[in-house]
Amino acid sequence: MGSLTRKKTLAVMALSAMIGLLLLPIVVSVPALASGGGAPAGGPPPDVVKKEGGEGDKDKKVEKARDVYYKTEGIVSGLPAPKTGDNAKDYPRYNFESRVLLWFANQQHLYYGSFVLAVPIFCMVIEFMGVMTKDKAMAKKYDQLAYDFIKISLTAYSLTAILGGILIFTFLTLYPAFFGYLSSIFRPVMHIYALMFVAESGTLYIYYYGWDKMKEGFLKWIHLSMSVILNVIGTVLMFLANSWIGFMMSPAGVDEQGRFLGNIWHVIHTALWNPLNVHRILGNMAFGGGVVAAYAAYRFLSSKTDEERAHYDWMGYIAMSLGVAFLIPLPFAGYWLMREVYAYRQQMGITLMGGLLAWLFIIQATMIGILFLSTNYYLWQALGRMRGAERFQRWIKYFVFLLVCGFLVFITPHTMVMTPAELKAMGGQQHPVLGNYGVMSAKNGGINVIITTTVLTFIWYQRGNRVPSVSWSKFGNIFMGVFFFFAYVNIIWLAIYGYFIPANVRVGLSVPQVATTLSCLFFMTALNLSMLKGAKQIGPIEWGKISVRSQYALIMLATAFTWMMGLMGYIRSSVRLFWHVNEIMRDNSPWAYTHTVGFAANMISFNVLFFWISIMFVFWLGTLAAKKAPVEAKAPVPGQAPQPAVGH
Amino acid sequence: MSALNNPVIAVIVSVIIAVSYFTLVDHFLMDMQGLDYWYL
């Protein structure tokens, strides 16, 4: 009894310490905010102080300037952005392109960073499911799964920190002028980032090492609360990092010379900050789900026993489901980000979607198509682990037809890459045939057909081994069929309608198209679940009895996602063209040009390959720990070798 | 509810609900953006 009380006291103290660490940066910032919006730590630059001192206190003169984005006036409290030159002082270099070195360091840090931010969110969700589940065996399974997840991310967490260190050294060594300017602008919040990092590490280690000590009752709730705090810290960290890239793309809080105007909130809250936040959270989750699913597939393929295969099949399914749940809204968040880019600077949007970088978006569309095709393929294969799902096999060919049609419309380009002679022969950029295709209206129709079909596949999967037994099941089935039919009709009709109305009306059609897809997702999934209450079961789900091909689909899903993340990061970064900070600080290095599509694709492939080779090492370390555990324990660990589940 | 389980009635009711729903979605979501869905 005394031991339990001590445990409780220690747990509450640990939780309080985490909350304290979380609040510490805010407390530290209060004095700065109270004195009028957080002047940069260290006061104004020396030359301003000198000027003020020379003029005496009576007629103290402060210089004011106008914010480039918010158009408000503020007191100049920083130095202008440095005007760099192509020299060894501003751009020290090795005999290699500095930008490529930075690209590599940045991309690897981002891959690992997004993975270790996503996995604790999964852990929180799965641990919560375990706590809420009434079935004791399932609760243990969920708990073991959450523990497996966090175990993978712990090694990755160390690698993330190492890569972060490498990234800072790369910045300081190769781009000192730029990094000096950016860190001077963000000086009021730089220490918050560092403190958050300490809080994240502390919370993560207590969360992981305290798992076994806090397994039951009240202590379990404390443990679950820690995962919430861990994720709040992780999210704040990411939002702060996003504010740097938001500032580089759409600067605010500075005047046209790049001088800080004293309001750090304006610097953080730029035009693109929130769209980037939403898009990146969803992207991290989908990416994390993909990586964990690939880990499960790797373990499934190397399993020696049926029990192991059953566990890793289930783990892969859960990870894939969580990843795809966030993949579905991801294109809509991306669309919002693009709309905000157009609203901020129309020319930037045109460079992205209709100019220099447009063909990269065709590659992106191809990758999105591959993601959804892989997801559908996995779910069709997963029907194989259910008895009674054979009745759905004959419908798959129609789904393939719908997906391929949507995919082909989605990847059709609007313009061709042409030589000047070809352009002249054609009399302009517009191809006489192709110019009619590949417009946004049609592409939106294509992707919405793909997503709606994925929703339909998922509903099929939910039905796999069950037959609805509610009294209104006949009406429910007919209503669901009719609703999906008219959803397809509405999506395709809106895509065609867009060809007959002016562009300013056409852009609005994307909203009802998205609403149609989301209606199918929310209403039909809810209807299906209510129809399946008390449904007749044809046979159990036989976890582990699934084709090997399905596991390769999971690996394909994860690899395609990694590649696409690298591609979209490159697009977002290169849209600044020859600016370090858009329209404020010019990039005068020899590498301010935009790479060819081919070089960029090779570089992205190299980054993906490096990430997967290094994460295979992390996976391998995970298997070492798993092999070691039974030797030490000498007794079976509860939940270590779960029985095949009957629900999902 | 038993009348709704009649396939003919079920189809008619479902079509009326689905067509009305999607037409209203199209109209109001365009209207919210200050655009005219019935432009053409």
Side-chain angles (χ1 to χ4, degrees):
Chain A
M1 189 67 188
S3 160
L4 188 66
T5 313
R6 215 177 92 234
K7 266 187 188 175
K8 271 188 184 177
T9 311
L10 283 171
V12 171
M13 279 170 66
L15 191 65
S16 307
M18 286 171 201
I19 294 170
L21 276 169
L22 185 64
L23 295 175
L24 184 64
I26 298 165
V27 173
V28 168
S29 308
V30 165
L33 291 167
S35 65
D47 56 344
V48 174
V49 174
K50 206 162 59 187
K51 198 165 64 182
E52 286 170 359
E55 288 168 4
D57 281 353
K58 277 182 184 172
D59 51 355
K60 200 172 182 177
K61 198 180 170 205
V62 285
E63 191 183 352
K64 287 194 165 186
R66 192 171 287 276
D67 188 316
V68 286
Y69 175 68
Y70 284 102
K71 306 299 179 197
T72 52
E73 278 206 336
I75 297 168
V76 173
S77 40
L79 291 167
K83 293 194 185 324
T84 56
D86 180 6
N87 55 52
K89 183 176 144 292
D90 292 333
Y91 299 105
R93 64 201 75 172
Y94 302 109
N95 288 330
F96 199 78
E97 186 178 332
S98 296
R99 184 171 47 162
V100 168
L101 294 172
L102 190 67
W103 185 349
F104 172 73
N106 232 325
Q107 187 64 70
Q108 294 304 323
H109 180 56
L110 201 90
Y111 277 148
Y112 275 97
S114 67
F115 177 61
V116 298
L117 283 178
V119 170
I121 300 179
F122 289 167
C123 278
M124 179 179 71
V125 172
I126 294 169
E127 194 180 6
F128 182 71
M129 282 159 72
V131 168
M132 296 311 286
T133 303
K134 290 187 176 70
D135 180 347
K136 287 276 184 193
M138 276 308 282
K140 260 182 184 169
K141 273 195 68 164
Y142 279 128
D143 202 63
Q144 180 63 36
L145 185 66
Y147 186 74
D148 278 353
F149 274 27
I150 204 81
K151 199 166 62 181
I152 304 168
S153 84
L154 210 69
T155 314
Y157 188 77
S158 312
L159 264 173
T160 309
I162 292 166
L163 287 163
I166 290 172
L167 178 60
I168 284 190
F169 281 122
T170 312
F171 265 124
L172 289 172
T173 309
L174 301 176
Y175 288 89
F178 161 72
F179 195 68
Y181 173 65
L182 202 69
S183 52
S184 77
I185 292 289
F186 282 93
R187 194 183 306 160
V189 287
M190 274 298 186
H191 60 288
I192 295 182
Y193 188 82
L195 285 171
M196 281 290 174
F197 203 75
V198 173
E200 167 100 350
S201 304
T203 311
L204 180 64
Y205 285 119
I206 295 173
Y207 180 67
Y208 174 71
Y209 288 109
W211 201 291
D212 283 339
K213 299 267 184 197
M214 305 165 82
K215 254 183 156 35
E216 301 292 335
F218 173 72
L219 289 175
K220 189 65 185 167
W221 281 101
I222 291 273
H223 192 256
L224 195 54
S225 309
M226 281 183 193
S227 71
V228 176
I229 291 170
L230 179 65
N231 286 311
V232 169
I233 296 169
T235 306
V236 171
L237 264 174
M238 191 186 67
F239 282 9
L240 280 173
N242 289 349
S243 70
W244 308 335
I245 58 165
F247 178 79
M248 287 166 72
M249 286 176 79
S250 55
V254 292
D255 70 356
E256 57 197 13
Q257 294 177 49
R259 296 180 298 181
F260 178 55
L261 298 180
N263 189 334
I264 189 64
W265 178 240
H266 281 183
V267 172
I268 291 172
H269 188 198
T270 56
L272 302 179
W273 186 51
N274 275 324
L276 278 167
N277 286 339
V278 172
H279 194 55
R280 275 193 158 180
I281 278 191
L282 294 173
N284 286 351
M285 297 292 285
F287 173 69
V291 173
V292 174
Y295 167 76
Y298 163 79
R299 295 297 301 268
F300 178 96
L301 293 170
S302 59
S303 289
K304 299 279 187 286
T305 65
D306 283 348
E307 268 182 348
E308 269 192 339
R309 255 190 291 276
H311 178 66
Y312 288 112
D313 182 17
W314 182 67
M315 184 178 180
Y317 168 73
I318 296 279
M320 193 275 321
S321 300
L322 283 169
V324 170
F326 291 94
L327 174 65
I328 286 174
L330 192 57
F332 307 138
Y335 190 84
W336 178 40
L337 175 59
M338 278 297 111
R339 273 182 87 137
E340 292 299 323
V341 166
Y342 269 96
Y344 172 71
R345 284 284 184 281
Q346 194 180 27
Q347 188 50 52
M348 195 187 262
I350 292 167
T351 303
L352 281 166
M353 306 290 279
L356 188 65
L357 304 169
W359 262 81
L360 292 166
F361 273 86
I362 299 295
I363 303 175
Q364 182 223 16
T366 310
M367 300 308 282
I368 291 174
I370 289 170
L371 283 176
F372 280 105
L373 282 170
S374 303
T375 303
N376 280 282
Y377 181 78
Y378 175 79
L379 287 171
W380 297 332
Q381 290 292 315
L383 285 171
R385 64 163 91 97
M386 295 185 225
R387 300 289 73 84
E390 299 82 6
R391 65 193 196 279
F392 294 126
Q393 293 290 339
R394 66 195 177 97
W395 293 95
I396 289 174
K397 54 183 174 291
Y398 303 115
F399 284 13
V400 173
F401 177 75
L402 279 171
L403 285 169
V404 169
C405 286
F407 182 52
L408 290 175
V409 170
F410 193 43
I411 63 169
T412 303
H414 183 57
T415 54
M416 298 290 282
V417 178
M418 285 176 285
T419 62
E422 287 169 330
L423 269 173
K424 198 178 167 193
M426 217 168 64
Q429 183 75 43
Q430 202 81 336
H431 191 281
V433 177
L434 201 59
N436 297 315
Y437 301 105
V439 293
M440 212 63 226
S441 185
K443 280 173 184 278
N444 277 337
I447 186 63
N448 278 295
V449 163
I450 290 173
I451 297 175
T452 303
T453 308
T454 306
V455 171
L456 197 50
T457 292
F458 190 69
I459 284 175
W460 245 230
Y461 178 81
Q462 284 184 322
R463 290 265 180 119
N465 60 336
R466 292 186 282 181
V467 176
S469 57
V470 288
S471 62
W472 47 278
S473 65
K474 193 172 266 183
F475 172 71
N477 281 334
I478 289 172
F479 180 73
M480 197 180 281
V482 168
F483 195 88
F484 267 106
F485 175 77
F486 279 102
Y488 281 119
V489 167
N490 194 41
I491 289 167
I492 295 165
W493 145 248
L494 289 171
I496 296 167
Y497 187 38
Y499 277 84
F500 298 94
I501 53 179
N504 62 336
V505 183
R506 185 192 309 147
V507 291
L509 292 179
S510 62
V511 179
Q513 273 182 328
V514 166
T516 303
T517 303
L518 292 180
S519 298
C520 287
L521 176 63
F522 294 123
F523 297 155
M524 293 301 105
T525 307
L527 176 65
N528 194 42
L529 287 175
S530 59
M531 284 175 77
L532 288 175
K533 270 192 180 149
K536 195 178 77 181
Q537 213 173 59
I538 302 169
I541 299 176
E542 297 173 324
W543 292 103
K545 292 194 175 169
I546 188 169
S547 72
V548 167
R549 295 193 305 280
S550 66
Q551 304 303 304
Y552 289 119
L554 287 183
I555 293 169
M556 175 75 184
L557 194 71
T559 311
F561 208 98
T562 316
W563 207 93
M564 202 167 85
M565 220 162 131
L567 174 77
M568 301 318 288
Y570 167 68
I571 291 174
R572 186 201 56 71
S573 190
S574 60
V575 75
R576 283 180 287 107
L577 304 174
F578 47 83
W579 296 100
H580 284 312
V581 177
N582 197 31
E583 297 167 9
I584 298 285
M585 184 181 179
R586 207 186 155 105
D587 181 353
N588 287 316
S589 72
W591 311 289
Y593 62 90
T594 302
H595 277 299
T596 60
V597 172
F599 180 87
N602 285 336
M603 187 64 203
I604 293 160
S605 297
F606 173 74
N607 268 323
V608 170
L609 204 60
F610 189 90
F611 171 73
W612 278 102
I613 289 171
S614 60
I615 205 144
M616 285 295 277
F617 173 70
V618 173
F619 289 174
W620 176 72
L621 284 179
T623 60
L624 282 185
K627 280 173 189 162
K628 206 176 150 190
V631 179
E632 283 182 340
K634 294 281 185 200
V637 179
Q640 190 77 17
Q643 295 302 307
V646 288
H648 53 270
Chain B
M1 189 55 81
S2 59
L4 278 177
N5 276 333
N6 178 329
V8 178
I9 294 173
V11 168
I12 292 168
V13 169
S14 300
V15 168
I16 291 169
I17 293 173
V19 171
S20 312
Y21 173 75
F22 287 123
T23 307
L24 289 170
V25 161
D26 291 354
H27 172 80
F28 282 109
L29 288 180
M30 289 294 275
D31 195 49
M32 274 167 59
Q33 302 172 81
L35 300 168
D36 182 10
Y37 174 63
W38 309 100
Y39 177 88
L40 195 67

